[in-house]
Amino acid sequence: MNQSVSIRNVEELEAILHKLKPDPGVHLGEVLLEEREISAPELEAALLQQQLEPGKHLGKILVEMEIVDQVIINHALAKKLGIPIIKLSDFKVEPDILTLVPPDIALEYNVLPLAEINGVVILAMENPLDWEARDLIQFHVGRNVDAVIASAHDISQTLNQYYSNFEEGVNLEDMRLNPVIEAKAQPPANMIEKQAMQKPIVRLLNALLLLAVVRGASDINIRPEKGRVNVYYRVDGKLQFVRSLHSSLLPPLVSRIKVTAQMNVAEHHMPQDGHARLRKGKHEIDLRISVIPTIMGESVVIRILDKEVGLKPLDEIGFNEKELGLLHKMINRSFGMFLVTGPTGCGKSTTLYGVLNEIKKSGPHIITVEDPVEYDMQGVEQIQVLPIRGYTFAEALRHILRHDPDVIMIGEIRDLETARIANKAALTGHIVLSTLHTNDAASAITRLIDMGVEPYLLSATLLGTMAQRLVRLNCEHCKIEDDVDPEIRRDLGVGEQEKFYRGEGCLSCDFTGYHGRLAICELLPITNAMKKLITGGGDAMELKEAAVKEGMTTLTQNAIKLAREGRTSLEEVYSVRLD
């Protein structure tokens, strides 16, 4: 089947487009059969499914049914349509071509303009049959468009490279407020609101949001400083500087964010929280937005909750086979409480959603109470607490227990009342899942006792506790042997001759040396010996030592194992260690 073609410039692209010819009479299924990528029964099953979902492309159905992957579909489409599959790393795009498609539209539909040939704009697309995207871009550029195929990852990476420093443009320059007004007082509200609705500001915000999604950011920080506004993305847990904006753009940009999140645009002296949704292609991304006033102006943090990224099955979160086996045993019990602990941003919610996905397979009645609800989950009743109105975790739990649940997930146990109700629910035949803010697994037990939960009741209900962290993974494109600091080796107890690796930094990882994150954990099951220790008032150190004797692998040891496999650096292990 066709392979990706190395095309370096417009001339080579034009030559190959003239050379390849489409075969419109051949169907995608026929191409896949001819290439022996699928069998006749598999094609028949996919066609039957297509009848149930009219309008859905056969290739998408085949991928969803896990018969073939998207790479094979792309190659079959290339053969049928007579277009090349391009490796974008080899192709240099001229700056004037990039200006043809607005950054927010290119980022939303994950398309990259490559060239203009005989008045036709050539786009790199993963799916050249996405007519909605093609029609919209054709409308914006005022020219006919055609497509070549590139992988979604290649397109995203190249968009990140070309659009990460997109300019504010002449329109934004014209919108800047009078410097005298800026320095002395807040500009008139009607002026700011008017600017917030203008296309340049709308497009600036859209581009900032979409580029963050392309980069895999979890948060966007918009921070006012003296004379400028700095924009940062949090990628793989670390803040990365993106760009600076002129300080006069802060009021209309913040107002635009408030409008989008349905906040009070006129309020500038009190913190505000809001929610919004961002559309990228055909899926929606939830945004959780916080605005706080500072002496330099209003500061904004936008949390990005991408369901396609955030909701993962348990076996994709990163736990090893030993921990996964223990976890499955715990959550398949008929009653009891399981706790996940760790600092903010360590992936606790992602783990609990993974647990819920697993439990869901047996069809129980699941109710969650969260602050806020981070991901919509099919087949689960989710409740948002409203502390400002007195609707707290404890208050919600009282009503939930009368609503016939089998499984209850509590976003966080923050106080004694919530802890006691959760423990009572576990004692009366429910599976209860929740989170706590402690450093390690053993400390979660003593934390509940410190809150006021009776040790004998806790030992009767607790199934297990798990502490976790997220570690950054070495970029596979630039991984080299690491010259580890001897002090780090000594502190972690690894040999001087052991080899470890780190990412040197390249275009694929934005020169950070890391790409992606994986969860590591220490899982403490509550055995009979542990129950005796809890009832007898054992402290966190005694509980941990007993758990290690019974076979618990500590979080630090699991992290070192990952480094020995070359998947992360020893420096990263050192930053998340608990021992």
Side-chain angles (χ1 to χ4, degrees), residues 374-389:
E374 294 196 4
Y375 300 102
D376 297 337
M377 204 168 193
Q378 198 70 26
V380 174
E381 291 189 289
Q382 296 172 277
I383 296 169
Q384 167 84 48
V385 299
L386 295 168
I388 198 168
R389 296 183 184 178

Side-chain angles (χ1 to χ4, degrees), residues 98-128:
L98 290 172
T99 62
L100 292 175
V101 180
D104 56 326
I105 292 175
L107 291 162
E108 179 179 347
Y109 288 94
N110 206 40
V111 300
L112 180 74
L114 295 179
E116 185 177 359
I117 299 173
N118 298 326
V120 178
V121 176
I122 309 298
L123 303 172
M125 305 178 70
E126 182 188 26
N127 177 14

Side-chain angles (χ1 to χ4, degrees), residues 548-566:
V548 170
K549 283 180 183 176
E550 291 194 331
M552 182 184 84
T553 306
T554 67
L555 185 145
T556 303
Q557 289 305 313
N558 274 329
I560 292 171
K561 182 175 181 290
L562 204 65
R564 285 182 170 133
E565 294 168 356

Side-chain angles (χ1 to χ4, degrees), residues 287-354:
L287 305 173
R288 199 167 75 205
I289 300 166
S290 169
V291 179
I292 60 171
T294 74
I295 59 170
M296 292 291 180
E298 290 178 286
S299 173
V300 181
V301 172
I302 302 173
R303 169 64 58 89
I304 300 169
L305 302 169
D306 189 344
K307 297 172 195 176
E308 291 194 354
V309 175
L311 288 177
K312 297 179 181 177
L314 277 178
D315 56 2
E316 289 182 15
I317 290 173
F319 307 129
N320 61 39
E321 288 185 18
K322 176 187 171 183
E323 270 83 22
L324 270 178
L326 283 171
L327 191 51
H328 279 291
K329 283 182 183 178
M330 291 178 193
I331 64 178
N332 285 322
R333 299 283 292 275
S334 59
F335 72 94
M337 182 162 60
F338 175 70
L339 302 173
V340 183
T341 187
T344 301
C346 73
K348 298 187 297 294
S349 295
T350 300
T351 296
L352 285 187
Y353 276 109

Side-chain angles (χ1 to χ4, degrees), residues 454-524:
E454 291 80 356
Y456 74 93
L457 287 176
L458 188 59
S459 66
T461 59
L462 198 57
L463 299 172
T465 64
M466 182 168 74
Q468 76 173 58
R469 299 291 188 276
L470 294 175
V471 293
R472 294 181 293 169
L473 299 176
N474 289 330
C475 174
E476 291 298 326
H477 293 91
C478 61
K479 190 164 72 173
I480 59 170
E481 190 174 333
D482 192 6
D483 183 16
V484 182
D485 185 328
E487 190 175 335
I488 291 178
R489 285 184 184 269
R490 283 195 301 273
D491 286 352
L492 293 176
V494 300
E496 291 181 11
Q497 304 306 316
E498 286 191 72
K499 287 186 178 181
F500 295 94
Y501 297 86
R502 65 176 176 85
E504 190 175 25
C506 66
L507 191 62
S508 294
C509 59
D510 283 326
F511 299 96
T512 63
Y514 298 97
H515 184 72
R517 290 192 293 177
L518 207 60
I520 53 167
C521 74
E522 59 181 32
L523 182 55
L524 191 160

